[in-house]
Amino acid sequence: DIQLTQSPSTLSASVGDRITITCRASQRINTWLAWYRQEPGKAPNLLIYAASNLERGVPPRFSGSGSGTQFTLTISSLQPDDIATYYCQQYNSYPWTFGPGTRVDIK
Amino acid sequence: QVQLVQSGSEVQKPGASVTVSCEASGFPFSTYWFHWVRQAPGQGLEWMAIINAEGGETTYAEKFQDRLTLTRDTSTNTVYMQLSRLTSDDTAVYFCARDRVTNGLLITGDSWGQGTLVTVSS
């Protein structure tokens, strides 16, 4: 199975800050990577697909990049609504797998 | 609009089975794939399996291979997840999610059900 690691595991930043979350895959996955945001008690919400494509309806302050084994999710200007846990997911090969998550909160 | 509506919470005893449904609306059901993900209390997301709504083809994560069954009913636009031989480790919220293809590109998890809590307790 392809293992995904995320760093950092938690992140505290101020409103307006630019933040970056990294996801690393144990094998090359081309660009078959998605990013989700999940608020407590809710279903995940797709932000980015195929590593760098913004899902419709997602604010443009979110962006993704990377290919192969290293990927990043960037929020260009952190907003109070961005308090959540962020997960990466690979869908290059079965079983699809998720990273352990990065919890983001506001200082 | 696109909706995935799951069945309600369940409490089951160890050794029993549970079936969770996921009813789709607002889009042509048979042209999509659906997968299931679970989340134990306070934990991360775990991918379980996927089903093609048109032909019913399935792929399961190996850890669930022998006790998980996905089916679909195209007459009611519903996908079903049945998990058998339950243990306390199966206590989790179970989500269904839709995958779509746009311009030849697979987009996974673009819409999710609200989640179904399954509690396994004696």
Side-chain angles (χ1 to χ4, degrees), chain A residues 1 32 34 36 38 41-46 49-50 53 55-56 87 89 91 94-100, chain B residues 33 35 37 39 43-47 50 59 61 95 98-100 102 105-110 112-114:
Chain A
D1 298 1
W32 297 114
Y36 298 92
Q38 186 182 35
K42 295 191 176 181
N45 183 47
L46 179 65
Y49 63 90
N53 294 269
E55 171 64 342
R56 52 197 180 198
Y87 293 94
Q89 180 211 347
Y91 54 111
Y94 295 124
W96 294 353
T97 47
F98 289 89
Chain B
W33 291 71
H35 63 264
V37 171
Q39 187 169 37
Q43 302 301 307
L45 302 168
E46 181 176 30
W47 187 86
I50 190 168
T59 299
F95 296 100
R98 186 189 81 162
D99 298 334
R100 77 178 196 266
T102 297
L105 194 60
L106 175 62
I107 299 166
T108 184
D110 75 330
W112 291 64
Q114 82 276 20

Side-chain angles (χ1 to χ4, degrees), chain B residues 16-64:
Chain B
S17 297
V18 68
T19 298
V20 178
S21 66
C22 172
E23 182 177 0
S25 62
F27 61 96
F29 176 77
S30 291
T31 61
Y32 288 82
W33 291 71
F34 297 86
H35 63 264
W36 289 83
V37 171
R38 74 178 185 178
Q39 187 169 37
Q43 302 301 307
L45 302 168
E46 181 176 30
W47 187 86
M48 299 177 70
I50 190 168
I51 185 168
N52 175 13
E54 182 176 25
E57 298 92 342
T58 54
T59 299
Y60 300 99
E62 188 172 349
K63 71 174 288 186
F64 300 108

